[in-house]
Coordinates of all heavy atoms in Angstrom, one line a residue:
M260 N 173.0 81.0 347.4 CA 172.2 79.9 347.7 C 171.8 79.1 346.3 O 171.9 78.0 346.3 CB 170.9 80.3 348.4 CG 170.3 79.3 349.4 SD 171.6 78.6 350.4 CE 170.6 77.4 351.4
K261 N 171.4 79.9 345.4 CA 171.0 79.2 344.2 C 172.2 78.6 343.5 O 171.9 77.4 343.0 CB 170.6 80.4 343.2 CG 169.1 80.4 343.0 CD 168.7 81.3 341.8 CE 167.2 81.4 341.9 NZ 166.7 82.7 341.3
S262 N 173.3 79.1 343.6 CA 174.5 78.4 342.9 C 174.8 77.1 343.6 O 175.3 76.1 343.0 CB 175.7 79.3 342.8 OG 176.0 79.6 344.2
I263 N 174.6 77.1 345.0 CA 175.0 75.8 345.7 C 174.0 74.7 345.4 O 174.3 73.7 345.1 CB 174.9 76.1 347.3 CG1 176.0 76.8 347.7 CG2 174.8 74.8 348.1 CD1 176.0 77.4 349.1
N264 N 172.7 75.2 345.1 CA 171.7 74.2 344.7 C 172.1 73.7 343.4 O 172.0 72.5 343.0 CB 170.3 74.9 344.6 CG 169.7 75.0 346.1 OD1 170.1 74.3 346.9 ND2 168.6 75.8 346.1
R265 N 172.6 74.5 342.5 CA 172.9 74.1 341.2 C 174.1 73.1 341.2 O 174.1 72.0 340.5 CB 173.3 75.3 340.2 CG 172.9 75.2 338.8 CD 173.1 76.4 338.1 NE 172.0 77.4 338.4 CZ 172.4 78.7 338.3 NH1 173.5 79.2 338.2 NH2 171.3 79.6 338.6
I266 N 175.1 73.4 342.0 CA 176.1 72.4 342.1 C 175.7 71.1 342.7 O 176.1 70.0 342.1 CB 177.3 73.1 343.1 CG1 178.0 74.1 342.3 CG2 178.3 72.0 343.4 CD1 178.8 75.1 343.2
A267 N 174.9 71.1 343.6 CA 174.4 69.9 344.2 C 173.6 69.1 343.1 O 173.7 67.8 343.0 CB 173.3 70.2 345.4
A268 N 172.7 69.8 342.4 CA 172.0 69.2 341.4 C 173.0 68.5 340.3 O 172.8 67.4 339.8 CB 171.1 70.2 340.6
A269 N 174.0 69.3 340.0 CA 175.0 68.8 339.0 C 175.8 67.5 339.5 O 175.9 66.5 338.8 CB 175.9 69.9 338.7
L270 N 176.1 67.6 340.8 CA 176.7 66.4 341.4 C 175.7 65.2 341.4 O 176.1 64.1 341.0 CB 177.0 66.7 342.8 CG 178.4 67.2 343.2 CD1 178.7 67.5 344.6 CD2 179.5 66.1 342.8
A271 N 174.6 65.3 341.7 CA 173.6 64.3 341.8 C 173.4 63.7 340.3 O 173.4 62.5 340.2 CB 172.2 64.8 342.3
L272 N 173.4 64.5 339.5 CA 173.2 64.1 338.0 C 174.4 63.3 337.6 O 174.2 62.2 337.1 CB 173.1 65.4 337.1 CG 172.6 65.0 335.7 CD1 171.3 64.4 335.6 CD2 172.7 66.2 334.9
T273 N 175.6 63.7 338.0 CA 176.8 63.0 337.7 C 176.8 61.7 338.2 O 177.1 60.6 337.6 CB 178.1 63.8 338.1 OG1 178.0 65.1 337.5 CG2 179.3 63.2 337.6
L274 N 176.6 61.6 339.6 CA 176.6 60.4 340.2 C 175.5 59.4 339.6 O 175.7 58.2 339.4 CB 176.2 60.5 341.7 CG 177.4 61.1 342.6 CD1 177.0 61.5 344.0 CD2 178.5 60.3 342.5
G275 N 174.4 59.9 339.4 CA 173.3 59.2 338.7 C 173.6 58.6 337.4 O 173.3 57.5 337.2
L276 N 174.3 59.4 336.6 CA 174.6 58.9 335.3 C 175.7 57.8 335.5 O 175.7 56.8 334.8 CB 175.2 60.0 334.4 CG 174.2 61.1 333.9 CD1 175.0 62.2 333.3 CD2 173.3 60.2 333.1
T277 N 176.7 58.0 336.4 CA 177.7 56.9 336.6 C 177.1 55.7 337.0 O 177.4 54.7 336.5 CB 178.7 57.4 337.6 OG1 179.1 58.7 337.2 CG2 179.9 56.5 337.7
F278 N 176.3 55.7 338.1 CA 175.6 54.4 338.5 C 174.7 53.9 337.4 O 174.7 52.7 337.2 CB 174.8 54.7 339.6 CG 175.7 54.8 341.0 CD1 175.9 56.1 341.6 CD2 176.5 53.7 341.4 CE1 176.7 56.2 342.7 CE2 177.4 53.8 342.5 CZ 177.4 55.1 343.1
G279 N 174.1 54.7 336.8 CA 173.1 54.2 335.7 C 173.9 53.5 334.6 O 173.5 52.4 334.1
A280 N 175.0 54.0 334.3 CA 175.9 53.5 333.2 C 176.4 52.0 333.7 O 176.5 51.1 332.9 CB 177.0 54.3 332.9
A281 N 176.7 51.9 334.9 CA 177.3 50.7 335.5 C 176.2 49.7 335.6 O 176.5 48.5 335.5 CB 178.0 50.9 336.9
A282 N 174.9 50.1 335.9 CA 173.9 49.1 336.1 C 173.1 48.7 334.8 O 173.7 48.0 333.9 CB 173.0 49.7 337.2
A283 N 172.0 49.1 334.7 CA 171.0 48.6 333.7 C 171.4 48.8 332.2 O 171.8 48.0 331.6 CB 169.7 49.3 333.9
Q284 N 171.3 50.0 331.7 CA 171.4 50.3 330.3 C 172.6 49.7 329.5 O 172.4 49.2 328.4 CB 171.4 51.8 330.0 CG 170.0 52.3 330.3 CD 168.9 51.9 329.3 OE1 169.2 51.6 328.2 NE2 167.6 51.9 329.7
S285 N 173.8 49.8 330.0 CA 174.9 49.5 329.3 C 175.6 48.2 329.4 O 176.8 48.1 329.3 CB 175.9 50.6 329.5 OG 176.5 50.5 330.7
A286 N 174.9 47.1 329.5 CA 175.5 45.9 329.5 C 175.6 45.4 328.1 O 174.7 45.3 327.4 CB 174.5 44.9 330.2
P287 N 176.9 45.2 327.7 CA 177.1 44.7 326.3 C 176.4 43.5 326.0 O 176.3 42.6 326.8 CB 178.7 44.6 326.1 CG 179.1 45.3 327.5 CD 178.1 45.2 328.6
I288 N 175.9 43.3 324.9 CA 175.1 42.2 324.4 C 175.8 41.6 323.2 O 176.3 42.4 322.4 CB 173.7 42.5 323.9 CG1 173.0 43.3 325.1 CG2 173.0 41.2 323.5 CD1 171.9 44.1 324.5
S289 N 176.0 40.3 323.1 CA 176.7 39.5 322.0 C 175.6 39.2 321.1 O 174.5 38.7 321.4 CB 177.5 38.4 322.5 OG 178.5 38.7 323.4
G290 N 176.0 39.6 319.8 CA 175.0 39.2 318.7 C 175.6 38.8 317.4 O 176.8 39.0 317.2
E291 N 174.8 38.5 316.5 CA 175.2 38.1 315.1 C 174.4 38.9 314.1 O 173.1 38.9 314.2 CB 175.1 36.7 314.9 CG 175.8 36.3 313.6 CD 175.5 34.7 313.3 OE1 175.5 33.9 314.3 OE2 175.3 34.4 312.1
V292 N 175.1 39.5 313.1 CA 174.3 40.3 312.1 C 173.6 39.4 311.1 O 174.1 38.4 310.5 CB 175.4 41.2 311.3 CG1 174.6 42.0 310.3 CG2 176.1 42.1 312.3
K293 N 172.3 39.5 311.1 CA 171.5 38.8 310.2 C 171.1 39.3 309.0 O 170.9 38.8 307.9 CB 170.3 38.2 310.9 CG 170.5 37.2 312.0 CD 171.2 36.1 311.3 CE 171.0 34.7 312.2 NZ 171.7 33.6 311.3
K294 N 170.9 40.6 309.0 CA 170.5 41.5 307.9 C 170.8 42.9 308.1 O 170.7 43.4 309.2 CB 168.9 41.3 307.7 CG 168.4 41.6 306.4 CD 166.8 41.6 306.4 CE 166.2 42.4 305.4 NZ 164.7 42.4 305.6
I295 N 171.1 43.7 307.0 CA 171.4 45.0 307.1 C 170.5 45.7 306.2 O 170.5 45.5 304.9 CB 173.0 45.4 306.7 CG1 173.8 44.6 307.8 CG2 173.2 46.7 306.7 CD1 175.2 44.6 307.4
D296 N 169.9 46.8 306.5 CA 169.0 47.6 305.8 C 169.5 49.1 305.8 O 169.0 49.9 306.6 CB 167.5 47.5 306.1 CG 166.6 48.2 305.0 OD1 167.1 49.0 304.4 OD2 165.4 48.0 305.1
E297 N 170.5 49.4 304.9 CA 171.1 50.7 305.0 C 170.2 51.9 304.7 O 170.2 52.9 305.4 CB 172.3 50.8 304.0 CG 173.6 50.3 304.5 CD 174.6 50.6 303.6 OE1 174.8 51.9 303.3 OE2 175.5 49.8 303.3
S298 N 169.2 51.7 303.8 CA 168.3 52.7 303.4 C 167.4 53.1 304.6 O 166.9 54.3 304.8 CB 167.5 52.4 302.2 OG 166.8 51.2 302.2
A299 N 167.0 52.0 305.4 CA 166.1 52.3 306.5 C 166.9 52.6 307.8 O 166.4 53.0 308.8 CB 165.2 51.2 306.7
G300 N 168.3 52.5 307.7 CA 169.0 52.6 309.0 C 168.7 51.6 310.0 O 168.7 51.8 311.3
K301 N 168.6 50.3 309.6 CA 168.2 49.3 310.5 C 169.1 48.1 310.3 O 169.6 47.8 309.3 CB 166.7 48.9 310.3 CG 165.8 49.9 310.7 CD 164.4 49.5 310.5 CE 163.4 50.4 311.0 NZ 162.0 50.2 310.6
I302 N 169.2 47.3 311.4 CA 170.0 46.0 311.4 C 169.3 44.9 312.0 O 168.5 45.2 313.1 CB 171.4 46.4 311.9 CG1 172.3 45.2 311.8 CG2 171.2 46.7 313.5 CD1 173.8 45.5 312.0
T303 N 169.3 43.8 311.5 CA 168.7 42.6 312.3 C 169.7 41.9 313.0 O 170.8 41.5 312.4 CB 167.9 41.8 311.3 OG1 167.0 42.6 310.5 CG2 167.1 40.6 312.0
L304 N 169.7 41.7 314.1 CA 170.7 41.0 315.0 C 169.9 39.9 315.8 O 168.8 39.9 316.4 CB 171.2 42.0 316.1 CG 172.0 43.2 315.6 CD1 172.2 44.3 316.7 CD2 173.3 42.8 315.0
K305 N 170.8 38.8 315.7 CA 170.3 37.6 316.5 C 171.2 37.7 317.9 O 172.5 37.9 317.7 CB 170.8 36.4 315.8 CG 170.5 35.0 316.4 CD 170.9 33.9 315.6 CE 170.8 32.6 316.4 NZ 171.5 31.5 315.6
H306 N 170.5 37.7 319.0 CA 171.4 37.9 320.2 C 170.8 37.0 321.3 O 169.7 36.5 321.3 CB 171.3 39.3 320.6 CG 170.1 39.9 321.0 ND1 169.5 39.7 322.2 CD2 169.1 40.6 320.3 CE1 168.3 40.4 322.3 NE2 168.0 40.9 321.1
G307 N 171.7 36.9 322.4 CA 171.3 36.2 323.4 C 170.3 36.9 324.4 O 170.0 38.1 324.1
A308 N 170.0 36.4 325.6 CA 169.3 37.1 326.5 C 169.9 38.4 326.9 O 171.1 38.6 327.0 CB 169.2 36.3 327.8
A309 N 169.1 39.4 326.9 CA 169.6 40.8 327.4 C 168.6 41.3 328.4 O 167.7 42.0 328.1 CB 169.5 41.7 326.1
K310 N 169.0 41.0 329.7 CA 168.3 41.4 330.8 C 168.0 42.8 331.0 O 167.0 43.3 331.3 CB 169.0 40.9 332.1 CG 169.2 39.4 332.2 CD 168.0 38.6 332.6 CE 168.4 37.0 332.7 NZ 167.3 36.2 332.7
S311 N 169.0 43.6 330.6 CA 169.0 45.1 330.6 C 167.9 45.5 329.7 O 167.5 46.8 329.9 CB 170.3 45.7 330.4 OG 170.6 45.4 328.9
L312 N 167.5 44.9 328.6 CA 166.5 45.3 327.8 C 165.1 44.7 328.0 O 164.3 44.8 327.3 CB 166.9 45.1 326.3 CG 168.0 45.9 325.9 CD1 168.5 45.5 324.5 CD2 167.8 47.4 325.8
G313 N 165.1 43.8 329.1 CA 163.8 43.1 329.5 C 163.7 41.8 328.5 O 162.5 41.5 328.2
M314 N 164.8 41.5 327.8 CA 164.6 40.3 326.9 C 165.3 39.1 327.6 O 166.6 39.0 327.7 CB 165.4 40.6 325.6 CG 164.9 41.7 324.8 SD 165.9 42.3 323.5 CE 165.1 43.9 323.0
D315 N 164.4 38.2 328.0 CA 164.8 37.1 328.8 C 165.5 35.9 328.0 O 166.0 34.9 328.6 CB 163.8 36.7 329.8 CG 163.6 37.7 330.9 OD1 164.5 38.6 331.2 OD2 162.5 37.8 331.4
E316 N 165.1 36.0 326.8 CA 165.4 34.8 325.9 C 166.2 35.3 324.7 O 166.1 36.4 324.3 CB 164.1 34.1 325.5 CG 163.4 33.3 326.5 CD 162.1 32.9 326.2 OE1 162.0 32.6 324.9 OE2 161.1 32.8 327.0
P317 N 167.0 34.4 324.1 CA 167.6 34.6 322.8 C 166.6 34.9 321.8 O 165.5 34.4 321.8 CB 168.5 33.4 322.5 CG 168.6 32.7 323.8 CD 167.3 33.0 324.5
M318 N 167.0 35.9 320.8 CA 166.0 36.2 319.8 C 166.7 36.9 318.7 O 167.9 37.2 318.6 CB 164.9 37.2 320.3 CG 165.5 38.5 320.8 SD 164.4 39.6 321.5 CE 164.3 39.0 323.1
T319 N 165.9 36.9 317.5 CA 166.4 37.7 316.4 C 165.4 38.8 316.1 O 164.2 38.6 316.1 CB 166.4 36.9 315.2 OG1 167.4 35.7 315.4 CG2 166.9 37.6 313.9
M320 N 166.0 40.0 316.1 CA 165.1 41.2 315.9 C 165.7 42.4 315.2 O 167.0 42.5 315.1 CB 164.6 41.7 317.3 CG 165.6 42.1 318.3 SD 165.0 42.5 319.9 CE 164.5 44.3 319.6
V321 N 164.9 43.3 314.9 CA 165.4 44.5 314.1 C 165.6 45.7 315.1 O 164.8 45.9 315.9 CB 164.3 45.0 313.0 CG1 164.8 46.1 312.2 CG2 164.0 43.7 312.0
Y322 N 166.8 46.3 314.8 CA 167.1 47.5 315.6 C 167.4 48.6 314.7 O 167.8 48.5 313.6 CB 168.4 47.2 316.4 CG 168.4 46.3 317.6 CD1 168.5 44.8 317.3 CD2 168.0 46.8 318.8 CE1 168.4 44.1 318.4 CE2 168.0 45.8 319.9 CZ 168.1 44.5 319.8 OH 168.1 43.6 320.8
R323 N 167.1 49.9 315.2 CA 167.5 51.0 314.6 C 168.9 51.2 314.9 O 169.3 50.7 316.1 CB 166.7 52.3 314.9 CG 165.3 52.3 314.4 CD 164.5 53.4 315.1 NE 163.3 53.5 314.6 CZ 163.0 53.9 313.3 NH1 163.8 54.6 312.5 NH2 161.7 53.9 312.8
V324 N 169.7 52.0 314.2 CA 171.1 52.3 314.7 C 171.2 53.8 315.0 O 170.8 54.6 314.1 CB 172.2 51.7 313.7 CG1 172.4 50.3 313.8 CG2 172.0 52.2 312.5
K325 N 171.9 54.2 315.9 CA 172.2 55.5 316.3 C 172.9 56.2 315.2 O 172.8 57.4 314.7 CB 173.0 55.6 317.5 CG 172.9 57.0 318.3 CD 173.4 56.8 319.6 CE 174.0 58.1 320.2 NZ 174.8 57.9 321.5
D326 N 174.0 55.5 314.7 CA 174.9 56.0 313.6 C 174.9 55.1 312.4 O 175.4 54.0 312.5 CB 176.3 56.2 314.1 CG 177.2 56.8 313.0 OD1 176.8 57.0 311.9 OD2 178.4 57.0 313.4
P327 N 174.2 55.6 311.3 CA 174.0 54.7 310.1 C 175.4 54.2 309.5 O 175.4 53.3 308.8 CB 173.4 55.7 309.1 CG 172.6 56.6 309.9 CD 173.5 56.8 311.2
A328 N 176.5 54.9 309.8 CA 177.7 54.5 309.3 C 178.2 53.2 309.8 O 179.1 52.5 309.1 CB 178.8 55.7 309.8
W329 N 177.7 52.8 310.9 CA 177.9 51.6 311.5 C 177.5 50.3 310.6 O 178.2 49.3 310.5 CB 177.3 51.3 313.0 CG 177.7 52.3 313.9 CD1 178.9 53.0 313.9 CD2 177.1 52.6 315.1 NE1 179.0 53.8 315.0 CE2 177.9 53.6 315.8 CE3 175.9 52.0 315.8 CZ2 177.6 54.0 317.1 CZ3 175.6 52.7 317.0 CH2 176.3 53.6 317.7
L330 N 176.5 50.7 309.8 CA 176.0 49.7 308.9 C 176.9 49.2 307.8 O 176.8 48.2 307.2 CB 174.6 50.1 308.3 CG 173.5 50.3 309.4 CD1 172.3 50.8 308.6 CD2 173.3 49.1 310.2
K331 N 177.9 50.2 307.5 CA 178.9 49.9 306.5 C 180.1 49.2 307.0 O 180.9 48.6 306.3 CB 179.4 51.3 305.9 CG 178.3 52.0 305.2 CD 178.9 53.3 304.5 CE 177.8 54.3 304.1 NZ 176.9 53.7 303.1
Q332 N 180.2 49.1 308.4 CA 181.4 48.5 309.0 C 181.1 47.1 309.4 O 182.1 46.3 309.8 CB 181.7 49.4 310.3 CG 182.2 50.7 310.0 CD 182.1 51.7 311.1 OE1 182.0 51.3 312.3 NE2 182.3 52.9 310.9
V333 N 180.0 46.6 309.1 CA 179.8 45.1 309.3 C 179.0 44.5 308.3 O 178.4 45.3 307.3 CB 178.8 45.0 310.6 CG1 179.6 45.4 311.9 CG2 177.5 45.7 310.5
K334 N 179.0 43.2 308.1 CA 178.4 42.5 307.1 C 177.5 41.3 307.8 O 177.9 41.0 308.9 CB 179.3 42.0 306.0 CG 180.5 41.2 306.5 CD 181.4 40.9 305.3 CE 182.3 39.8 305.6 NZ 183.2 39.9 306.8
V335 N 176.6 40.8 306.9 CA 175.8 39.7 307.5 C 176.8 38.5 307.8 O 177.8 38.2 307.1 CB 174.9 39.2 306.3 CG1 174.1 37.8 306.8 CG2 173.8 40.3 306.1
G336 N 176.5 37.9 309.0 CA 177.4 36.9 309.5 C 178.4 37.3 310.6 O 179.0 36.6 311.2
D337 N 178.7 38.7 310.6 CA 179.6 39.2 311.6 C 179.1 39.0 313.0 O 177.9 39.2 313.2 CB 179.9 40.6 311.4 CG 180.9 40.9 310.2 OD1 181.5 39.9 309.8 OD2 181.1 42.0 309.9
K338 N 180.0 38.7 313.9 CA 179.7 38.7 315.4 C 180.0 40.2 315.8 O 180.9 40.7 315.6 CB 180.5 37.7 316.1 CG 180.4 36.3 315.5 CD 179.5 35.5 316.4 CE 179.5 34.0 316.0 NZ 178.7 33.6 314.8
V339 N 179.0 40.6 316.6 CA 179.1 41.9 317.2 C 178.9 42.0 318.6 O 178.2 41.1 319.2 CB 178.3 43.0 316.5 CG1 178.6 43.2 315.0 CG2 176.9 42.6 316.5
T340 N 179.4 43.0 319.2 CA 179.0 43.3 320.7 C 178.3 44.7 320.6 O 178.8 45.6 319.9 CB 180.3 43.4 321.5 OG1 181.0 42.2 321.4 CG2 179.8 43.7 323.0
F341 N 177.1 44.8 321.2 CA 176.4 46.0 321.0 C 175.7 46.4 322.4 O 175.5 45.5 323.2 CB 175.4 46.0 319.9 CG 174.2 45.0 320.1 CD1 172.9 45.4 320.5 CD2 174.3 43.6 319.9 CE1 171.9 44.6 320.7 CE2 173.4 42.8 320.1 CZ 172.1 43.2 320.5
E342 N 175.3 47.6 322.4 CA 174.4 48.1 323.5 C 173.2 48.8 322.9 O 173.4 49.3 321.8 CB 175.2 49.1 324.4 CG 176.3 48.5 325.1 CD 177.1 49.5 325.9 OE1 176.7 50.6 326.1 OE2 178.3 49.1 326.3
A343 N 172.1 48.7 323.6 CA 170.9 49.2 323.0 C 170.0 49.8 324.1 O 170.2 49.5 325.2 CB 170.1 48.1 322.2
E344 N 169.0 50.5 323.6 CA 168.0 51.2 324.5 C 166.7 51.2 323.9 O 166.6 51.2 322.6 CB 168.5 52.6 325.0 CG 168.5 53.7 323.9 CD 169.1 55.0 324.4 OE1 169.7 55.0 325.4 OE2 168.8 55.9 323.7
E345 N 165.7 51.2 324.7 CA 164.4 51.3 324.1 C 164.0 52.7 324.0 O 164.0 53.4 324.9 CB 163.4 50.5 325.1 CG 162.1 50.2 324.5 CD 161.2 49.5 325.3 OE1 161.6 49.0 326.5 OE2 160.0 49.1 324.9
A346 N 163.6 53.1 322.8 CA 163.1 54.4 322.4 C 161.7 54.3 322.0 O 161.2 53.2 321.7 CB 164.0 55.1 321.5
A347 N 161.1 55.5 321.9 CA 159.7 55.5 321.5 C 159.6 54.9 320.0 O 158.5 54.3 319.7 CB 159.1 56.9 321.4
S348 N 160.5 55.0 319.3 CA 160.5 54.6 317.8 C 160.9 53.0 317.8 O 161.0 52.6 316.7 CB 161.4 55.5 316.9 OG 162.7 55.5 317.5
G349 N 161.3 52.5 318.8 CA 161.7 51.2 318.8 C 163.1 51.0 319.5 O 163.6 51.9 320.0
Y350 N 163.7 49.8 319.4 CA 165.0 49.6 320.0 C 166.0 50.1 319.2 O 166.0 49.9 318.0 CB 165.3 48.1 320.3 CG 164.4 47.6 321.4 CD1 163.1 47.0 321.1 CD2 164.7 47.7 322.8 CE1 162.3 46.4 322.2 CE2 164.0 47.3 323.8 CZ 162.7 46.7 323.5 OH 162.0 46.2 324.6
T351 N 166.9 50.8 319.8 CA 167.9 51.5 319.0 C 169.4 51.0 319.6 O 169.6 51.1 320.8 CB 167.9 53.0 319.2 OG1 166.6 53.5 318.8 CG2 168.9 53.7 318.5
V352 N 170.2 50.7 318.7 CA 171.7 50.3 319.0 C 172.3 51.6 319.3 O 172.4 52.5 318.5 CB 172.3 49.6 317.9 CG1 173.8 49.3 318.3 CG2 171.6 48.2 317.7
T353 N 172.9 51.7 320.5 CA 173.6 53.0 320.8 C 175.2 52.9 320.7 O 175.8 53.9 320.9 CB 173.2 53.4 322.2 OG1 173.5 52.2 323.2 CG2 171.7 53.7 322.5
K354 N 175.5 51.7 320.5 CA 177.0 51.4 320.6 C 177.2 49.9 319.8 O 176.4 49.1 320.2 CB 177.6 51.2 322.0 CG 179.0 51.8 322.3 CD 179.2 51.7 323.8 CE 180.5 52.2 324.1 NZ 180.7 52.1 325.5
M355 N 178.1 49.9 319.0 CA 178.3 48.6 318.3 C 179.8 48.4 317.9 O 180.4 49.3 317.3 CB 177.4 48.4 317.1 CG 177.4 47.1 316.4 SD 176.1 46.8 315.3 CE 176.6 47.7 313.9
E356 N 180.3 47.2 318.1 CA 181.6 47.0 317.5 C 181.8 45.5 317.2 O 181.0 44.7 317.7 CB 182.7 47.4 318.5 CG 182.7 46.8 319.8 CD 183.7 47.3 320.8 OE1 184.0 48.6 320.6 OE2 184.3 46.7 321.7
K357 N 182.7 45.2 316.2 CA 182.9 43.8 315.8 C 183.4 43.1 317.0 O 184.5 43.6 317.7 CB 183.8 43.8 314.6 CG 183.1 43.7 313.3 CD 184.1 43.3 312.3 CE 183.7 43.9 310.9 NZ 184.5 43.5 309.8
A358 N 183.0 41.8 317.3 CA 183.6 41.0 318.2 C 184.9 40.4 317.8 O 185.0 40.3 316.6 CB 182.6 39.9 318.6
K359 N 185.9 40.4 318.7 CA 187.1 39.9 318.4 C 187.1 38.4 318.4 O 186.5 37.8 319.2 CB 188.2 40.4 319.2 CG 188.5 42.0 318.8 CD 188.7 42.8 319.9 CE 188.4 44.3 319.4 NZ 188.0 45.0 320.6
Ligands
CU244 CU1 166.0 41.5 321.3

């Protein structure tokens, strides 16, 4: 009985994650690099409205980055596509790549 419950829970989790990824959190946002602060692990991005983050208007703001190595791969003025999530410590970029 216990193992069946565990399988059901795992299934529910998998489905939840799949739907979660398709919906709110992971809508890619287009932005432009305004400033890079490698020592602090932060990047300033100008971006359009990002409904998934509750940002209804374009803005310029500072984000932490999940992987500091990303800060070496872009420079001020680059156009990027990124995903972010709100954490206790502030907004964190969870995915970032140069826009083509
Ligand atoms: Cu913002």
Side-chain angles (χ1 to χ4, degrees):
M260 213 43 180
K261 257 192 182 147
S262 62
I263 289 170
N264 282 341
R265 212 170 291 147
I266 290 165
L270 261 178
L272 189 65
T273 306
L274 289 173
L276 287 176
T277 307
F278 283 114
Q284 289 293 331
S285 69
I288 304 160
S289 296
E291 186 187 325
V292 181
K293 286 303 200 182
K294 197 179 153 194
I295 296 167
D296 186 342
E297 273 192 54
S298 57
K301 289 178 178 174
I302 189 166
T303 304
L304 295 166
K305 179 182 174 188
H306 66 82
K310 306 269 183 203
S311 62
L312 294 173
M314 301 173 188
D315 295 332
E316 290 168 31
M318 66 183 82
T319 298
M320 60 183 276
V321 181
Y322 287 89
R323 288 173 178 280
V324 287
K325 198 169 155 191
D326 182 353
W329 297 342
L330 299 179
K331 296 187 193 298
Q332 291 160 18
V333 293
K334 56 183 195 307
V335 172
D337 278 354
K338 302 258 191 280
V339 295
T340 303
F341 68 101
E342 289 175 18
E344 63 185 23
E345 191 176 3
S348 54
Y350 287 95
T351 302
V352 173
T353 54
K354 215 174 184 182
M355 186 170 77
E356 56 185 33
K357 267 196 207 185
K359 279 135 210 160

